[in-house]
Amino acid sequence: MLFPNIIYKIANLYKECLVVVESNDHTERRVEIPIVGCVLDVPLDESGNPTEFGIASVYPNPFNSTTSITFTVTKSSKVNLTIFDLDGREVETILDGISPAGIYSKLWSANSFAPGLYIVRLVAGGEVDGRKLVLVK
């Protein structure tokens, strides 16, 4: 049985996280996560896939114009990542397609949206997660 070791290191001057998953048989799986100044604690199974579904982080939040939404998918499935305003209106779909199990990060550029509260919703494999976003200008 493989037990992945997760090694976090600073990838560049902007302190983006680079996650290296290395198993006991010395195979590697690299996942670059463009999140400035933070480290994610994402549990992985023996094959290096996340064991928990959901939005792992939204950074920065509050944000001015752009934020990074990092999420995990536990099995290959149709994935939908959508932004809603507080009235429940869909304002933008960031991702809508089939994705294998893994850790993903998507940027949301909100330059054309008014300041305020928004909701990001993740739907995949019959599971749903959501987070509040605060856009300030």
Side-chain angles (χ1 to χ4, degrees):
M1 181 178 281
L2 301 176
F3 294 97
N5 301 313
I6 301 177
I7 303 163
Y8 296 95
K9 65 181 182 179
I10 303 304
N12 59 36
L13 294 175
Y14 296 104
K15 297 184 180 177
E16 291 184 351
C17 298
L18 173 63
V19 179
V20 179
V21 179
E22 188 175 303
S23 66
N24 292 344
D25 66 356
H26 303 293
T27 59
E28 288 186 352
R29 179 174 176 199
R30 294 179 185 269
V31 181
E32 291 187 34
I33 304 175
I35 298 177
V36 179
C38 79
V39 174
L40 295 177
D41 182 18
V42 177
L44 303 174
D45 64 16
E46 298 82 25
S47 59
N49 291 321
T51 60
E52 296 176 4
F53 166 85
I55 298 171
S57 78
V58 178
Y59 187 85
N61 191 20
F63 68 101
N64 178 356
S65 76
T66 303
T67 191
S68 177
I69 303 162
T70 301
F71 57 95
T72 58
V73 177
T74 57
K75 60 187 173 194
S76 181
S77 58
K78 182 175 194 273
V79 177
N80 180 275
L81 187 67
T82 306
I83 307 294
F84 295 89
D85 65 16
L86 284 184
D87 292 326
R89 292 182 297 246
E90 182 178 319
V91 297
E92 188 167 353
T93 298
I94 298 172
L95 175 65
D96 189 28
I98 303 293
S99 296
I103 302 169
Y104 298 91
S105 185
K106 296 290 182 184
L107 291 177
W108 181 42
S109 179
N111 290 328
S112 61
F113 297 101
L117 292 173
Y118 293 87
I119 303 294
V120 58
R121 183 182 72 179
L122 173 66
V123 179
E127 297 184 87
V128 179
D129 194 14
R131 291 277 179 96
K132 293 178 189 176
L133 304 172
V134 180
L135 173 60
V136 295
K137 292 192 178 187

